[in-house]
Amino acid sequence: MNRRVKIALKSFLFLVVAALVTGIVYEQIGRRRDRARFPQIGRSVDIGGRILNIFCSGAGAPPVIFESGGPGPGLEWEAFQPEAAKFTQACWYDRAGEGWSDPGPFPRTSNAIAKDLHELLKRAGVPAPYVFAGASFGGLNSRVYGGLYPNEVAGMILIDSAHEDELRRAPRIFLGRRAPRLLWHPLQMAFEAAAFVGLLRLTQRSPTPGKDPSQMTREEMIEALRQRPKSFVENISAGIVLPESFAEGSSVTRIGDFPLIVLTAGQSFDFGNPELNREAAAYQQVWIHEIQPKLVGLSTNGRQIIVPNANHGSIPRKVIISAIREVVTEVRGAAASH
């Protein structure tokens, strides 16, 4: 009996090791295919042992820096960049783990993201001060950047920016479950391990199976980049520590006297459920009239623009570009008067 148990245990151990090795090889092959399938858009910049990707076009000062809202690469700003590049230098970048950037160390809070961006812009030779265009979570990151490096902020456009009051005022439908702080790092390590052994790649369904990138729309390519294991882990990591990012943002209540426009969506999402829609509509009024106005106070030269027929994800491009142009023009006017 003992001999049979030993044989069974050894067989089980062999199968586990074989599965792990197979998974690791599978993941490495997948990463190699990813690099071949998605040629880099932008350029790699070493920020001290890690590579971040940045893409700039246009010329002039102050440079506009686009900060993405949620999970996904900076390529999401590709449609906006040429418009902004007509009147100044415009740059988007990939946060750590996104697009063509290397993953970054835990925790991926707004503070860590802002420090990465600071180092990236310095090493990429993009001269400060900057105008930040930050959407949703990207608005929170821009705000934290301003708190860390106030002399590097020339202006800001916050596009339905995230705010710490969401945690205590938003309906439950807007908030995901929060893990206890004690579990933050273990959860992060578990997801990293799952990615390393190919488990995430195995369970993630490709949005464009078998489709060559040359045949993809930009939206399909962005979604495919977002689905890669390293991006999935980065997004989970940022989500796990979101309460800490909100805490970092809450300490930044005033940055300076730069031009600031707070763009606020005037409509809530349609959840297809009358009761949920009533709850969302009621919260939208709190969002418009109580939460978003607090962001105006980041500058003595701030104002809010409510975009009536847009929800959180549909503020029109022309409205955003118009706000960027307005802030850039005001910055240049102030510089010329000194």
Side-chain angles (χ1 to χ4, degrees):
M1 180 65 71
N2 288 339
R3 184 168 176 271
R4 288 180 179 178
V5 170
K6 288 180 180 178
I7 291 174
L9 287 174
K10 286 182 179 178
S11 298
F12 177 73
L13 183 61
F14 174 79
L15 289 174
V16 169
V17 172
L20 288 175
V21 171
T22 301
I24 291 169
V25 172
Y26 169 72
E27 175 61 24
Q28 294 305 313
I29 292 173
R31 292 180 185 184
R32 192 176 303 118
R33 285 177 177 169
D34 285 345
R35 288 191 291 271
R37 286 185 71 210
F38 303 107
Q40 183 176 1
I41 299 174
R43 65 186 177 103
S44 298
V45 177
D46 190 327
I47 64 166
R50 289 187 291 125
I51 295 297
L52 292 186
N53 181 62
I54 187 170
F55 185 71
C56 297
S57 63
V64 171
I65 311 300
F66 290 104
E67 252 287 0
S68 296
L75 191 62
E76 293 176 337
W77 292 104
E78 187 186 43
F80 295 77
Q81 186 185 33
E83 294 300 311
K86 291 176 181 177
F87 53 86
T88 194
Q89 185 179 25
C91 305
W92 57 258
Y93 81 106
D94 294 321
R95 291 195 287 260
E98 301 285 4
W100 293 274
S101 289
D102 291 340
F106 183 86
R108 301 312 301 161
T109 66
S110 289
N111 203 322
I113 291 168
K115 288 180 178 178
D116 274 2
L117 179 57
H118 171 73
E119 196 64 27
L120 171 64
L121 294 172
K122 182 174 69 174
R123 297 196 183 205
V126 183
Y130 313 107
V131 167
F132 289 92
S136 192
F137 179 58
L140 181 64
N141 297 338
S142 301
R143 176 179 164 195
V144 170
Y145 191 106
L148 292 171
Y149 314 104
N151 294 332
E152 296 186 8
V153 179
M156 202 173 282
I157 301 91
L158 299 179
I159 306 157
D160 224 38
S161 173
H163 190 279
E164 60 275 10
D165 284 2
E166 294 175 52
L167 292 180
R168 61 184 182 85
R169 304 204 63 181
R172 190 173 298 176
I173 54 172
F174 285 79
L175 302 173
R177 292 189 175 183
R178 299 293 173 208
R181 184 180 290 266
L182 187 66
L183 296 180
W184 286 1
H185 203 183
L187 282 171
Q188 167 73 11
M189 291 190 293
F191 279 106
E192 286 181 346
F196 182 69
V197 301
L199 189 58
L200 291 184
R201 188 177 295 274
L202 188 64
T203 56
Q204 287 284 92
R205 180 177 296 179
S206 172
T208 53
K211 203 170 186 179
D212 187 87
S214 63
Q215 302 171 319
M216 293 182 190
T217 64
R218 267 296 181 257
E219 289 73 21
E220 288 175 332
M221 186 172 181
I222 288 166
E223 186 59 30
L225 289 169
R226 187 184 287 127
Q227 292 294 329
R228 292 186 302 174
K230 70 168 186 171
S231 296
F232 184 85
V233 172
E234 166 65 20
N235 299 327
I236 288 291
S237 176
I240 289 172
V241 300
L242 186 59
E244 186 63 30
S245 292
F246 276 133
E248 292 166 356
S250 68
S251 66
V252 185
T253 57
R254 177 62 59 83
I255 299 174
D257 59 356
F258 54 85
L260 164 68
I261 294 179
V262 176
L263 295 176
T264 304
Q267 291 185 342
S268 56
F269 285 117
D270 182 356
F271 290 92
N273 178 296
E275 183 57 37
L276 292 181
N277 283 348
R278 279 193 294 271
E279 194 175 359
Y283 174 62
Q284 193 68 23
Q285 295 307 304
V286 174
W287 179 255
I288 293 169
H289 301 294
E290 299 181 43
I291 295 178
Q292 288 283 292
K294 292 183 178 181
L295 294 170
V296 177
L298 291 172
S299 171
T300 57
N301 187 16
R303 66 188 182 95
Q304 181 185 21
I305 297 176
I306 299 170
V307 188
N309 297 317
N311 61 35
H312 183 69
S314 68
I315 294 179
R317 186 193 314 168
K318 64 180 181 180
V319 172
I320 295 172
I321 292 298
S322 176
I324 292 172
R325 184 189 296 273
E326 186 174 331
V327 168
V328 167
T329 301
E330 192 171 338
V331 171
R332 288 173 176 167
S337 65
H338 284 87

